[in-house]
Amino acid sequence: MPLYEYQCTECNEKFEKLVRSSFAEAEVSCPNCGSSLVKRLVSLFGALGFSGAGASSGCAPTGGG
Ligand SMILES: [Zn+2]
Protein backbone atom coordinates (compact mmCIF):
# COMPACT_ATOMS: atom_id res chain seq x y z
CA MET A 1 0.00 0.00 0.00
CA PRO A 2 1.58 3.27 -1.10
CA LEU A 3 2.09 5.96 1.47
CA TYR A 4 1.77 9.50 0.24
CA GLU A 5 2.52 12.73 1.99
CA TYR A 6 0.05 15.57 1.73
CA GLN A 7 0.12 19.17 2.75
CA CYS A 8 -2.91 21.23 3.59
CA THR A 9 -3.15 24.47 1.68
CA GLU A 10 -5.24 26.00 4.43
CA CYS A 11 -3.06 25.49 7.49
CA ASN A 12 0.04 24.08 5.77
CA GLU A 13 -0.27 20.93 7.85
CA LYS A 14 1.77 17.99 6.59
CA PHE A 15 0.44 14.48 7.04
CA GLU A 16 0.90 11.04 5.57
CA LYS A 17 -1.94 8.93 4.31
CA LEU A 18 -2.26 5.49 2.83
CA VAL A 19 -3.92 5.72 -0.55
CA ARG A 20 -5.26 2.46 -1.88
CA SER A 21 -6.37 3.81 -5.21
CA SER A 22 -6.19 7.00 -7.19
CA PHE A 23 -9.83 7.81 -6.57
CA ALA A 24 -9.12 7.68 -2.85
CA GLU A 25 -7.18 10.91 -3.15
CA ALA A 26 -10.43 12.78 -3.40
CA GLU A 27 -11.28 11.57 0.08
CA VAL A 28 -8.08 12.94 1.53
CA SER A 29 -8.72 15.69 4.02
CA CYS A 30 -6.58 17.59 6.47
CA PRO A 31 -6.61 15.96 9.93
CA ASN A 32 -5.91 19.32 11.48
CA CYS A 33 -8.56 21.61 10.07
CA GLY A 34 -10.55 19.11 8.03
CA SER A 35 -10.09 20.97 4.77
CA SER A 36 -10.07 19.00 1.53
CA LEU A 37 -7.76 21.49 -0.12
CA VAL A 38 -4.65 19.38 0.09
CA LYS A 39 -1.82 18.78 -2.31
CA ARG A 40 0.29 15.67 -2.66
CA LEU A 41 3.97 16.02 -1.98
CA VAL A 42 6.89 14.04 -3.31
CA SER A 43 6.89 10.40 -2.36
CA LEU A 44 8.92 9.49 0.68
CA PHE A 45 10.60 6.63 -1.14
CA GLY A 46 11.66 8.81 -4.02
CA ALA A 47 14.14 11.09 -2.40
CA LEU A 48 16.90 8.99 -0.95
CA GLY A 49 20.13 10.56 0.21
CA PHE A 50 23.05 9.44 -1.88
CA SER A 51 26.50 8.98 -0.38
CA GLY A 52 28.72 11.90 -1.21
CA ALA A 53 32.47 11.78 -1.30
CA GLY A 54 34.03 14.46 0.78
CA ALA A 55 37.73 13.93 1.26
CA SER A 56 40.00 16.89 1.07
CA SER A 57 43.66 16.07 1.45
CA GLY A 58 45.98 18.59 2.99
CA CYS A 59 46.11 22.24 2.44
CA ALA A 60 49.09 23.86 0.91
CA PRO A 61 50.37 26.74 3.03
CA THR A 62 50.56 29.91 1.13
CA GLY A 63 53.34 32.35 1.80
CA GLY A 64 52.41 35.89 1.35
CA GLY A 65 54.59 38.77 1.74
ZN1 LIG B 1 -5.46 21.99 7.29
Side-chain angles (χ1 to χ4, degrees):
M1 198 177 294
L3 175 66
Y4 294 116
E5 186 176 13
Y6 293 86
Q7 183 177 21
C8 179
T9 58
E10 292 292 335
C11 64
N12 295 331
E13 176 71 10
K14 289 183 180 179
F15 58 94
E16 296 83 25
K17 196 173 186 68
L18 292 170
V19 179
R20 293 188 301 177
S21 301
S22 59
F23 71 89
E25 291 191 50
E27 300 178 355
V28 178
S29 59
C30 176
N32 190 34
C33 67
S35 179
S36 58
L37 298 176
V38 297
K39 61 180 180 180
R40 195 174 68 180
L41 302 177
V42 182
S43 179
L44 299 175
F45 305 97
L48 290 176
F50 59 89
S51 60
S56 57
S57 60
C59 185
T62 57

